[in-house]
Amino acid sequence: MKSCAVLACLICRASAVLPTGVVSVVGRSLDNGAVTTEYSLLGSQASFGAVPPMGSGVGSDAMSLMVPPAEDELLCGSYAESESSARSAMIVARGGCTFEQKALAAQALGASAIVIHNTLASRYSLNETTGEPIWPQDKFDYDCNFGQATLTDSDMSALSLPYQSYDPTNDSRLSGDTDYSLCVKNDPSFASTCSSQRCLLTGRGNIACCAWDLHVWLYSDPSISHQVAIPAIFITMEQAARLLADLSNNAIHLQVDIHSRPRPSYNLSAMIIWALGVFIAALAAFLSAQDYRDHRKPMHPLPSSSSSAP
């Protein structure tokens, strides 16, 4: 019975981090103001910054979506504090510096919130001492069991290696379900076996494997002394592709709103677990004292077995 329960846990799908936030998106036509697109993206939240209020949908205080300065695509620079009368949320790629550093830079540029999205490029780094690339980690960044392709030498030469900064061209050649993706080109089954439809180079020759595209928790940076006062949220590569495509559509005006997902004021399951724990502790204490209770019982003398003479 126990083995069946363990097996059931192993085959159940689970997210790396529970997405407790939501990015609500609405796009309105620039011609007549009509809503042309509307959807919500679940995201993970941060250990720093403001906690967005619970709710959903785009309200009256919605934010326009903007991108970082062209000279600082990863938003890792230092900026003087500035104020903006218009509410805006900045969308920026992961990598190059810590999450909180990006949020602090966005805040200094006048953003009211920051949306950080996952990228393939952020999984690579460079050893500044040797100049050699540090490749993504097996099972942590990718899993070859869900898709693997061996790229040709000409395919490898089409990529800019090693990754040293965010390179959307490299990312696009390793993404998608068409032959433009080098992994699909070399293994057509890759698009159906890899749910993220993205691959990472492993550093083992020309082998590329299916990349994880999961939510991550935005941890704080202990080296930062300034306080981040804006909310931060993290979305996946798949979610970012949709959001950035809508942002590049010049026919619509895109607005977003960030909320925490609704949650009950009390957790019934936690109360049940607490009550069960108290019951088990009380039962264990009662049963463990059984010997003590037996010892405290009054001792009755056995009847004498003296025999009378005939």
Side-chain angles (χ1 to χ4, degrees), residues 227-248:
Q227 184 176 5
V228 175
I230 62 174
I233 197 166
F234 182 90
I235 61 175
T236 65
M237 290 181 275
E238 181 182 8
Q239 293 171 324
R242 181 179 184 183
L243 190 56
L244 291 171
D246 287 336
L247 182 60
S248 64

Side-chain angles (χ1 to χ4, degrees), residues 50-284:
V51 177
M54 288 189 292
S56 61
V58 177
S60 57
D61 58 346
M63 299 169 285
S64 298
L65 199 62
M66 65 178 186
V67 297
E71 65 276 9
D72 188 14
E73 288 183 307
L74 291 176
L75 201 60
C76 292
S78 298
Y79 300 92
E81 290 285 342
S82 63
E83 295 184 1
S84 175
S85 57
R87 285 174 54 81
S88 61
M90 187 170 289
I91 181 169
V92 59
R94 178 185 185 183
C97 57
T98 64
F99 298 125
E100 191 169 3
Q101 186 175 344
K102 293 177 185 290
L104 191 63
Q107 177 178 284
L109 291 171
S112 303
I114 183 171
V115 179
I116 301 173
H117 66 86
N118 201 11
T119 66
L120 294 175
S122 64
R123 303 298 80 219
Y124 304 83
S125 58
L126 196 66
N127 188 318
E128 296 182 358
T129 302
T130 64
E132 295 294 323
I134 300 175
W135 300 97
Q137 301 178 36
D138 185 19
K139 299 298 186 293
F140 183 79
D141 298 309
Y142 64 84
D143 193 332
C144 296
N145 293 324
F146 294 99
Q148 175 177 318
T150 302
L151 278 58
T152 64
D153 290 338
S154 61
D155 291 336
M156 295 292 289
S157 63
L159 300 172
S160 174
L161 296 175
Y163 281 103
Q164 298 186 45
S165 61
Y166 176 53
D167 190 337
T169 303
N170 274 1
D171 280 24
S172 64
R173 293 309 312 271
L174 298 173
S175 305
D177 57 357
T178 66
D179 286 347
Y180 187 73
S181 166
L182 297 178
C183 287
V184 176
K185 171 188 172 185
N186 289 281
D187 182 4
S189 66
F190 186 88
S192 59
T193 59
C194 178
S195 60
S196 70
Q197 296 185 348
R198 289 166 173 82
C199 58
L200 285 167
L201 302 176
T202 63
R204 303 194 306 270
N206 295 359
I207 296 177
C209 291
C210 178
W212 292 114
D213 187 21
L214 304 172
H215 293 98
V216 299
W217 186 258
L218 303 181
Y219 288 103
S220 58
D221 183 350
S223 67
I224 293 179
S225 58
H226 294 79
Q227 184 176 5
V228 175
I230 62 174
I233 197 166
F234 182 90
I235 61 175
T236 65
M237 290 181 275
E238 181 182 8
Q239 293 171 324
R242 181 179 184 183
L243 190 56
L244 291 171
D246 287 336
L247 182 60
S248 64
N249 186 347
N250 295 324
I252 63 174
H253 174 58
L254 206 63
Q255 290 183 303
V256 300
D257 214 342
I258 294 178
H259 298 282
S260 295
R261 296 175 67 183
R263 57 184 182 274
S265 55
Y266 60 89
N267 192 329
L268 181 60
S269 60
M271 295 177 64
I272 294 175
I273 293 174
W274 173 83
L276 183 61
V278 171
F279 171 76
I280 291 175
L283 180 62

